Amino acid sequence: LNLGFSYAQGAGVPEDYVKAHMWLSFAKARGNKFGAELLDIIKPAMPPAQIAKAQALAAEWYRKAAEQGVA
């Protein structure tokens, strides 16, 4: 959640909605309501290609985590 919020706001990191979407998606998947709300706020500001890229990054992250036994 914190990374997603930081990337969405550009707080301490460059503003990056793709990375924000990825991290907020993880928060939402774990049942974090605030993460889901933030995701709903940034998604309309993102073109479909950015959303697809964020989803692909999240899938790759999950795949690598599963290979290492941490997901």
Side-chain angles (χ1 to χ4, degrees):
L1 173 65
N2 290 337
L3 280 170
F5 181 79
S6 293
Y7 279 113
Q9 296 294 313
V13 295
E15 185 178 275
D16 186 330
Y17 278 8
V18 171
K19 289 181 183 176
H21 186 291
M22 180 185 78
W23 290 110
L24 293 171
S25 294
F26 296 152
K28 180 180 177 180
R30 296 185 62 92
N32 187 293
K33 290 182 183 182
F34 187 58
E37 290 172 8
L38 286 174
L39 192 57
D40 288 342
I41 290 169
I42 68 165
K43 280 172 63 174
M46 297 175 69
Q50 282 186 337
I51 293 171
K53 183 175 180 180
Q55 291 170 337
L57 286 172
E60 178 67 11
W61 189 93
Y62 271 121
R63 184 190 63 75
K64 286 181 181 180
E67 286 175 358
Q68 296 177 13
V70 294

